[in-house]
Amino acid sequence: MSQFWKPGTEKPRILEDEEGGVVYLSHSLSSSSSSSSSSRYGYASIENQRQRLPVYKYRSAILYLVESHATSIIVGETGSGKTTQIPQYLKEAGWADGGRLIACTQPRRLAVQAVSSRVAEEMGVKLGEEVGYRIRFEDVTTPDVTRIKFLTDGVLLREMMDDPLLTKYSVIMVDEAHERSISTDMLLGLLKKIQRCRPELRLIISSATIEVKTMAAFFQPSKRRRRLEGDELGPKMDPAILSVEGRGFNVQIHYVEDPVSDYVRAAVSTVMLINDKEPAGDVLVFLTGEDDIDAAVKMLTEEAQNIKKSSSGLVILPLYSGLPRADQELVFSPTPRGKRKIVISTNIAETSLTLEGVVYVVDSGFSKQRFYNPISDLENLIVAPISKASARQRAGRAGRVRPGKCYRLYTEDYFAKEMSVEGIPEMQRSNLVSCVIQLKALGIDNILGFDWPASPSPEAMVRALEVLYSLGVLDDDAKLTSPVGFQIAEIPLEPMVSKMILSSNELACSEEIITIAAILSVQSIWASGRGAQKELDEAKLRFAAAEGDHVTFLNVYKGFLQSGKSSKWCYTNCVNYHAMKKAIEVRGQLRRIAQRLGIVLKSCERDMQVVRKAVTSGFFANACQLEAYSHGGMYKTIRGSQEVYIHPSSVLFRVNPKWIIYHSLVSTDRQYMRNVISIDPSWLIEAAPHFYKQRHNPVLH
DNA sequence: GAGCACTGC
């Protein structure tokens, strides 16, 4: 065993850049690696395996930085082992002594589960004891026993509602911070605030991109604060930066010489070229969405049939999240001997899923990205160029098993000069209603002055404040109202859905509304079509309610319960069994929360008018009136006179009631309303007098 | 008669 640095002993040799207050560690200075030279095929103990990870060389440096700096930023490519090893190093160094906890957050649930079970295995303990995890619905930890806890960043944000200073934790490691999700950014902003009250708390920000200057600048204390701190004992407030190399193989990058006009066609011919010229190895193609992917699969299948050479066999598989589970799993099956697997995927393969055996990547340079317009309050999905960071991540997918190649369907000049370094943080591309209410609930009064890693536009924040005001969540001073505001903040759903649940109490239909809220929170309860469109439409008719989609959901739920929650029943009725199971889980959680908030669980039996009124109380802002019968029924929103249409998947498509409320809009060539319910316009003034009366709406008066 | 990049509480 090599000697590790312990607090109080001589520090390891590290270069310090006092000017910027940033610590760099050059590779040559790192402590000697004790990576074992035993054959990689031979037996290696867990300890040996741990020591072979690139991060191991930096063990004492990391512990030194964490001891001496309030915030350490660790840059490490995939395969460095930072996620599994750093929490263990911290525990070994005593950071979990005295009943304290080490936290490590992840953006995704699956990662939380995978990483925690790996770490438990390495430590030789039972998952849920010394090492545990927590995600929504699953708290696999034991109080006073668990020392290392993996959790989603969303869960840690929720934990702050009960314990605003997160006092249980001695170190919090925020992993995958480069992804810049809304909850990661919120967490970073809040952790920076917590640090001021808890100087003993240590933060580790873990990022895969080299561009960490902005992150370091964010955690840099202001000059004034630094003066105040003076020479006090304790960690330096200046963030430290440490870079750890990854363990990926080299990936050779190829660019096109001239820009391509049709990236689907270009992707297909590139795959054919790889198949023709390159040795065995699977291919991963990044396109933007279902349409692109289906087109590419079709073209490739045709081309492959045309050549039909003796040995050339392609296994062509699409991959996107909307694909039925069984089809998704096909991409993980081993490639048959003599065949080449071609996976054509969305961004899901960039971060969420890892495919082994990929040696060639084809990168279109585009992905679908969400953009939010605070003026129209609309979120749109738009095909947009990816960032350099994304391009690098995609390329890295080719180097997991052996040296690979990445074919970029854009020019080198474009990559160098036009591609942005990093993507726009999600915070700046989204509706902020949920985010703002959560900050308010944590006592952040000055939302416009909140110190974010990347500030959203003032327009977006003002819009969120307006919506929350109209829902009665905020008062004239933009403070959370009591009890409504606090209750809505407590419910882990969009505020408009939460408002609907609160109103269901007075309307005595909480059981029905909670069912609707649960079903709206899962992707879709209908089995995705794939050639069975007719069956799906027929199945929908069996459940269809004249009132609209929300009431239809209640019928499906009733049928599912009567079948004994049968998967066979789901199959024959084109209902997605997994989605129903998830909805039932969410429903259980919501019932518990509702009870805690004093909502009486009560069914309205067959009275659907109260159900529609409850929906109206949350979604009054989405009310529309039928204007014309063109294109199957053109509606206009009452609020903004925006032209909208009922989505053909709705049970009210072509039924066209005069007044409806929609749950959400999808924007394509038109604005389509998904999940609509018919209402009586008089309910609007009843539900939101301030919202509709102040506008002197001629339609309603 | 059309479509859902990806997450999360």
Side-chain angles (χ1 to χ4, degrees):
Chain A
M1 281 289 272
S2 45
Q3 286 294 308
F4 294 125
W5 179 82
K6 288 194 183 63
T9 62
E10 197 190 342
K11 67 183 186 180
R13 289 187 302 145
I14 280 181
L15 285 182
E16 284 200 33
D17 175 2
E18 288 297 341
E19 217 175 0
V22 166
V23 181
Y24 294 95
L25 180 85
S26 82
H27 291 184
S28 58
L29 288 172
S30 59
S31 58
S32 68
S33 158
S34 58
S35 64
S36 117
S37 58
S38 69
S39 153
R40 58 179 296 187
Y41 300 107
Y43 170 82
S45 70
I46 283 177
E47 197 51 38
N48 265 330
Q49 285 180 32
R50 288 187 60 196
Q51 291 177 10
R52 283 214 300 258
L53 288 166
V55 71
Y56 181 73
K57 286 189 296 211
Y58 304 89
R59 188 185 189 277
S60 53
I62 290 167
L63 289 176
Y64 169 70
L65 292 183
V66 172
E67 175 68 24
S68 55
H69 289 74
T71 305
S72 306
I73 298 170
I74 300 190
V75 188
E77 292 156 47
T78 48
S80 64
K82 59 187 161 57
T83 310
T84 55
Q85 301 309 301
I86 293 174
Q88 294 186 68
Y89 298 164
L90 294 169
K91 187 187 164 285
E92 289 155 10
W95 282 98
D97 294 351
R100 297 176 303 170
L101 268 163
I102 295 159
C104 178
T105 72
Q106 296 290 320
R108 282 171 291 280
R109 299 160 51 101
L110 204 66
V112 168
Q113 289 173 306
V115 170
S116 59
S117 66
R118 173 70 197 167
V119 171
E121 191 189 322
E122 285 186 10
M123 288 173 57
V125 299
K126 199 165 156 250
L127 185 61
E129 292 176 359
E130 254 184 289
V131 178
Y133 71 90
R134 182 168 174 199
I135 56 180
R136 183 178 185 174
F137 299 128
E138 277 178 71
D139 188 353
V140 186
T141 61
T142 314
D144 300 323
V145 174
T146 300
R147 300 273 73 97
I148 299 177
K149 178 166 162 187
F150 291 90
L151 66 176
T152 51
D153 32 27
V155 167
L156 192 59
L157 279 176
R158 284 276 156 191
E159 284 192 0
M160 287 180 70
M161 285 196 167
D162 296 323
D163 179 10
L165 293 179
L166 296 172
T167 51
K168 292 186 287 193
Y169 301 101
S170 58
V171 187
I172 295 170
M173 172 165 166
V174 180
D175 205 7
E176 314 285 2
H178 61 278
E179 288 186 21
R180 305 300 301 274
S181 72
I182 289 186
S183 33
T184 306
D185 272 14
M186 279 177 70
L187 197 57
L188 293 174
L190 291 160
L191 288 173
K192 184 179 170 183
K193 278 181 101 77
I194 291 178
Q195 259 185 339
R196 294 193 191 165
C197 311
R198 287 189 58 200
E200 82 285 4
L201 174 71
R202 296 298 195 277
L203 301 182
I204 299 176
I205 314 299
S206 156
S207 170
T209 43
I210 325 295
E211 281 295 316
V212 290
K213 286 249 159 64
T214 46
M215 198 62 83
F218 177 68
F219 281 99
Q220 197 77 41
S222 66
K223 283 201 176 116
R224 197 179 132 266
R225 277 195 64 80
R226 232 185 299 182
R227 259 204 319 277
L228 286 175
E229 280 157 21
D231 296 322
E232 274 174 53
L233 290 170
K236 290 183 191 165
M237 296 311 288
D238 301 326
I241 300 179
L242 174 78
S243 168
V244 177
E245 76 270 13
R247 205 163 59 166
F249 292 92
N250 187 44
V251 176
Q252 208 184 337
I253 309 284
H254 299 266
Y255 294 91
V256 293
E257 283 183 12
D258 299 302
V260 303
S261 55
D262 179 348
Y263 59 76
V264 176
R265 197 163 287 280
V268 169
S269 47
T270 306
V271 170
M272 294 311 289
L273 200 71
I274 293 168
N275 190 42
D276 204 29
K277 301 262 191 280
E278 297 288 341
D282 295 342
V283 185
L284 173 60
V285 182
F286 285 105
L287 296 180
T288 64
E290 189 175 342
D291 284 353
D292 278 3
I293 291 170
D294 285 348
V297 168
K298 200 160 159 260
M299 283 164 74
L300 259 180
T301 312
E302 280 167 12
E303 294 229 13
Q305 276 168 351
N306 285 344
I307 45 168
K308 251 219 167 129
K309 278 186 194 153
S310 51
S311 64
S312 81
L314 298 184
V315 182
I316 303 161
L317 299 168
L319 178 64
Y320 46 88
S321 82
L323 211 56
R325 183 89 57 99
D327 292 355
Q328 266 186 38
E329 274 161 13
L330 287 178
V331 303
F332 295 109
S333 58
T335 314
R337 216 176 171 65
K339 295 243 181 188
R340 196 198 287 271
K341 197 195 299 182
I342 317 283
V343 176
I344 307 181
S345 171
T346 60
N347 256 5
I348 194 170
E350 194 179 302
T351 47
S352 306
L353 293 180
T354 301
L355 301 169
E356 296 300 334
V358 171
V359 180
Y360 309 99
V361 161
V362 179
D363 173 14
S364 65
F366 289 93
S367 70
K368 278 194 187 170
Q369 292 161 37
R370 181 172 54 208
F371 288 94
Y372 172 65
N373 178 346
I375 309 301
S376 62
D377 193 28
L378 291 179
E379 282 185 332
N380 274 317
L381 268 184
I382 293 168
V383 174
I386 61 169
S387 66
K388 280 189 175 123
S390 251
R392 206 170 284 124
Q393 174 78 9
R394 287 180 173 187
R397 295 305 203 180
R400 295 189 61 86
V401 284
R402 58 183 164 94
K405 290 184 177 178
C406 173
Y407 299 82
R408 292 180 170 160
L409 303 178
Y410 37 92
T411 63
E412 185 163 14
D413 207 47
Y414 171 82
F415 175 82
K417 293 183 185 152
E418 309 214 10
M419 233 178 196
S420 64
V421 175
E422 278 174 324
I424 302 166
E426 193 185 10
M427 184 73 83
Q428 296 174 335
R429 298 183 282 115
S430 312
N431 174 313
L432 298 173
V433 169
S434 296
C435 169
V436 167
I437 192 174
Q438 228 170 337
L439 290 179
K440 287 281 177 188
L442 291 170
I444 313 288
D445 285 328
N446 181 7
I447 297 286
L448 292 167
F450 187 71
D451 191 9
W452 308 88
S455 292
S457 74
E459 290 84 0
M461 284 193 272
V462 167
R463 170 62 73 151
L465 291 167
E466 272 173 15
V467 171
L468 292 171
Y469 177 77
S470 78
L471 283 171
V473 168
L474 296 178
D475 62 19
D476 290 336
D477 301 321
K479 290 240 195 298
L480 225 48
T481 56
S482 183
V484 173
F486 283 95
Q487 288 176 319
I488 289 184
E490 184 97 352
I491 303 173
L493 294 171
E494 302 159 65
M496 296 202 291
V497 180
S498 307
K499 175 69 187 288
M500 170 176 103
I501 293 178
L502 280 192
S503 306
S504 73
N505 194 28
E506 300 129 50
L507 293 161
C509 57
S510 54
E511 292 282 16
E512 283 76 14
I513 288 296
I514 287 172
T515 304
I516 290 170
I519 290 179
L520 286 171
S521 78
V522 303
Q523 295 275 354
S524 168
I525 56 159
W526 302 110
S528 45
R530 270 203 119 54
Q533 192 54 50
K534 198 161 153 266
E535 284 84 345
L536 177 58
D537 285 349
E538 283 167 8
K540 269 189 192 169
L541 278 181
R542 289 200 286 279
F543 300 103
E547 294 90 345
D549 297 298
H550 302 67
V551 179
T552 304
F553 292 152
L554 291 176
N555 294 340
V556 175
Y557 177 72
K558 208 181 289 169
F560 184 58
L561 287 194
Q562 278 166 1
S563 78
K565 302 182 190 172
S566 143
S567 61
K568 202 170 156 233
W569 180 89
C570 286
Y571 186 79
T572 48
N573 288 293
C574 294
V575 168
N576 182 336
Y577 175 66
H578 294 288
M580 284 308 290
K581 294 262 285 190
K582 202 171 167 202
I584 284 189
E585 223 178 349
V586 175
R587 186 176 187 280
Q589 187 200 22
L590 294 179
R591 283 179 97 236
R592 286 191 294 278
I593 292 169
Q595 279 178 302
R596 201 166 67 221
L597 296 177
I599 292 171
V600 182
L601 297 172
K602 195 166 182 309
S603 167
C604 58
E605 306 300 337
R606 267 179 288 280
D607 181 5
M608 288 304 123
Q609 178 154 328
V610 286
V611 168
R612 290 152 71 205
K613 279 189 173 180
V615 174
T616 307
S617 83
F619 287 87
F620 53 83
N622 293 354
C624 303
Q625 185 184 20
L626 182 67
E627 288 271 318
Y629 286 92
S630 56
H631 301 290
M634 190 265 275
Y635 285 79
K636 279 201 172 165
T637 61
I638 298 175
R639 181 168 52 167
S641 294
Q642 176 118 29
E643 214 174 276
V644 289
Y645 298 84
I646 295 180
H647 195 280
S649 66
S650 168
V651 297
L652 292 186
F653 180 67
R654 282 206 284 239
V655 177
N656 294 333
K658 188 150 199 292
W659 295 90
I660 56 171
I661 277 180
Y662 64 85
H663 177 255
S664 63
L665 282 183
V666 284
S667 317
T668 51
D669 52 334
R670 287 189 207 130
Q671 303 287 343
Y672 284 102
M673 301 178 269
R674 296 184 70 201
N675 297 327
V676 298
I677 189 163
S678 75
I679 55 150
D680 182 316
S682 68
W683 302 343
L684 292 171
I685 300 163
E686 219 173 282
H690 45 287
F691 190 80
Y692 282 107
K693 273 206 182 123
Q694 278 170 8
R695 283 156 207 256
H696 300 291
N697 198 303
V699 185
L700 293 177
H701 294 276

